Amino acid sequence: MKKKRIFSFCTLSVVIAALLLLGGCGKKDEDSTSYTIYYKNSSGTSLYEVNYSPAAETFDEMMTELMAQMSTVPEDAVYTSVLPETVSYQGYERGIDALRIDFSSEYYEMDNITEVLLRAAVVKTICQIPGVTKIILTVDAEQLVDANGELVAAMDAESFIDTKNGGINSYQTASLVLYFPNEDGTKLLKEVRNVDYSSNMVLVRVILEQLMAGSDYANRMAVMNASAEILDITTKDGICTISFSEEFNQPPTEKTPSAEAALYAIVNSICETADDVEGVKITIDGSSNVKFWDEIDLSEVFLLNESLIEVDSLESETEEAAAQAEGEPESTGSDTALSSSDAEEASGNAADISETEEEPEDAVVAGADGSLAGVDGYAADEDGTVAGVTGADTAGETQTE
C-alpha cells in the first residue's frame, strides 16, 4: 500500500500571488446561468477565474460537468488545470451536512502550493451549485488529514481568505472564537470558526471581517452596520487600536442589539483569538472622542468581558475547562476599561437544479468507477476598575496594517 504524504497546511515555502478567493459558498442569482470555474494561472501561483454556463439539468450532471471543466483547458489558454494529471477525481457523496468529494491516493503527492490551490478551486467552484453549503475532501474514501494527522474540517468558499494587496508568502489555519449577540441582543453567544488565511493579513482584520460576515446561526444578531469599513489596525504593548469609518457608529439596520453587546462582541472575539492582544481601543475616523451609539465612551481601552457571555447549551464542560486552562483573563463586568489617560499611553444559482432521481436513504456515490466506499499587567483599584498598565513605559514592537 502506498505510503501517504501528509501536507503541512501551515507554511508554504514560496510567495503565492493573490488568491482570487472573494465571495462565499452561497446562493446564485436564480436568473443567472453563469458559473465561475477556477483554474491556476500559467505560473501555478494563484487562481484564475473563467466564466462558464453549464448545460446540466440535474445535480449529478452538474457535478460531472463542473469537475470535467476544471480538468479541461484549451491549448491556447493562459491558465492551467488545478488538477494534476496524476490525481483522479473519484466521485462524490451527498451527506446531511456536507458534500464529500473524493480523490485518488496521489492527492497526497502534491506539493503544498498545488494542494491549497486545488482545494480552494474545488470548494469555490462546487459551492456555486444550489444546495451545496459545505464540502469535505476525501482521499480514497477517507477524510483528508493535515500535517498533524488531524481531519481537515468541512469547508466553504469563505474558509479561504486572502489579502487583496499582493498575495501571500505563507498559508495558515486559525480557529477563530467569535461572539455574536443573542436573540434579544443583551448577551453574547460563542461561535468557533476555522479559516485558512494569508500570513500577510493581520489576524485582527480576519476576525473583524468574519464578524462583519455575520453568524452561521439564525438566532444571532449582526454586530455592526454592513456599511462600516476598517480603516486601520495597530497593535502595541498588548493594546489593539482599530479605526473604523463613521458608519461603524450606526447600528445594524435590521435587528439592533444593545450597544454593550455589540461592542463586546468585537472586544471578546479579538481578546480570545489573538494571543498578543489584551485590550482593544476603538476609534471612529481616527477619533476616540466619541460615544458608541451615543452610549459608550470610546476613550477607554476595553478588556475581555465574560459577564456578557451566555453559556450555550451546545458548549461542553470540556470546552469551558480547556478555555480556562489556556489562561483566559477574568473580567470585572462593566468595569473592564482603562482610564482615558492611561489608554492614550498604552495605545498607539444556475437556474435551480432539479433532481430527477430519488436518493436512497444511504447516500449514493457517483464517480468514475460508480462507487465510493484576569490579564497580567493591569492593576485594579479597590472599586474594581482598571486603573493602569503595569510596565506601560516598556518599549514594544508595533504591528501596523
Side-chain angles (χ1 to χ4, degrees):
M1 185 173 70
K2 182 177 290 187
K3 184 178 180 181
K4 290 182 179 179
R5 177 180 181 274
I6 300 178
F7 289 101
S8 169
F9 295 129
C10 295
T11 304
L12 295 181
S13 59
V14 298
V15 175
I16 301 179
L19 291 175
L20 305 176
L21 298 178
L22 305 176
C25 194
K27 299 178 180 179
K28 291 182 69 64
D29 188 331
E30 293 182 358
D31 297 327
S32 173
T33 58
S34 177
Y35 276 59
T36 299
I37 307 294
Y38 290 86
Y39 300 92
K40 288 191 299 186
N41 65 357
S42 57
S43 60
T45 58
S46 66
L47 292 184
Y48 189 96
E49 298 180 359
V50 175
N51 291 330
Y52 176 75
S53 296
E57 296 181 354
T58 68
F59 189 94
D60 182 68
E61 290 173 350
M62 183 65 78
M63 282 294 300
T64 301
E65 185 172 348
L66 293 184
M67 290 303 298
Q69 283 298 314
M70 294 181 69
S71 304
T72 305
V73 177
E75 291 184 3
D76 59 348
V78 295
Y79 52 89
T80 61
S81 172
V82 293
L83 281 163
E85 293 182 358
T86 57
V87 179
S88 300
Y89 161 61
Q90 298 187 154
Y92 73 91
E93 179 180 359
R94 299 183 71 180
I96 297 175
D97 299 323
L99 176 72
R100 290 175 172 260
I101 299 178
D102 192 56
F103 293 97
S104 62
S105 60
E106 289 79 12
Y107 186 102
Y108 284 109
E109 296 177 358
M110 290 185 291
D111 61 75
N112 288 332
I113 298 175
T114 302
E115 190 278 333
V116 68
L117 291 176
L118 169 59
R119 189 150 51 101
V122 169
V123 170
K124 286 188 67 64
T125 298
I126 301 303
C127 267
Q128 295 171 88
I129 300 177
V132 178
T133 57
K134 295 283 186 179
I135 291 176
I136 291 175
L137 296 191
T138 61
V139 177
D140 280 346
E142 295 184 1
Q143 190 166 343
L144 182 66
V145 295
D146 63 17
N148 298 316
E150 300 292 333
L151 298 177
V152 177
M155 299 164 283
D156 59 23
E158 292 180 353
S159 297
F160 300 89
I161 304 171
D162 191 31
T163 176
K164 301 176 183 178
N165 302 314
I168 64 178
N169 55 24
S170 63
Y171 169 81
Q172 52 197 336
T173 298
S175 290
L176 309 182
V177 178
L178 305 177
Y179 286 94
F180 292 91
N182 62 2
E183 281 187 295
D184 62 16
T186 60
K187 290 288 186 178
L188 299 177
L189 291 172
K190 178 186 287 188
E191 186 173 319
V192 178
R193 187 175 300 177
N194 295 318
V195 298
D196 299 315
Y197 72 100
S198 161
S199 65
N200 282 357
M201 295 185 70
V202 176
L203 179 58
V204 172
R205 177 174 285 275
V206 176
I207 296 168
L208 292 171
E209 289 181 351
Q210 290 297 300
L211 288 173
M212 288 176 167
S215 173
D216 290 336
Y217 302 92
N219 64 339
R220 302 177 189 187
M221 291 187 182
V223 173
M224 23 183 153
N225 190 292
S227 300
E229 297 180 6
I230 306 165
L231 303 180
D232 187 57
I233 301 171
T234 302
T235 299
K236 181 179 180 180
D237 296 334
I239 305 301
C240 178
T241 301
I242 307 164
S243 179
F244 289 99
S245 65
E246 60 183 11
E247 290 81 7
F248 175 75
N249 211 19
Q250 301 170 8
T253 55
E254 296 181 359
K255 296 180 179 179
T256 302
S258 70
E260 186 180 39
L263 181 69
Y264 279 103
I266 296 170
V267 173
N268 286 8
S269 297
I270 294 172
C271 288
E272 279 215 43
T273 302
D275 293 336
D276 61 337
V277 176
E278 297 175 346
V280 176
K281 182 173 178 60
I282 294 174
T283 67
I284 296 178
D285 279 339
S287 174
S288 60
N289 189 25
V290 177
K291 282 197 172 183
F292 179 61
W293 295 2
D294 295 324
E295 293 186 34
I296 301 176
D297 187 354
L298 292 182
S299 64
E300 303 172 333
V301 170
F302 300 92
L303 310 181
L304 182 76
N305 187 342
E306 292 181 329
S307 69
L308 288 175
I309 301 173
E310 181 177 300
V311 179
D312 194 333
S313 60
L314 298 178
E315 290 183 21
S316 67
E317 293 181 1
T318 302
E319 290 174 327
E320 294 176 6
Q324 293 174 1
E326 292 174 357
E328 291 182 347
E330 295 184 357
S331 170
T332 58
S334 60
D335 296 326
T336 50
L338 297 180
S339 66
S340 176
S341 59
D342 289 328
E344 288 299 323
E345 182 178 2
S347 65
N349 270 334
D352 290 339
I353 305 301
S354 60
E355 297 197 37
T356 58
E357 299 177 0
E358 182 178 355
E359 285 191 38
E361 292 182 2
D362 294 331
V364 175
V365 177
D369 58 1
S371 65
L372 178 63
V375 185
D376 292 338
Y378 291 93
D381 290 336
E382 292 181 359
D383 63 356
T385 60
V386 180
V389 181
T390 301
D393 294 331
T394 301
E397 295 295 327
T398 301
Q399 180 183 22
T400 304
E401 184 182 35

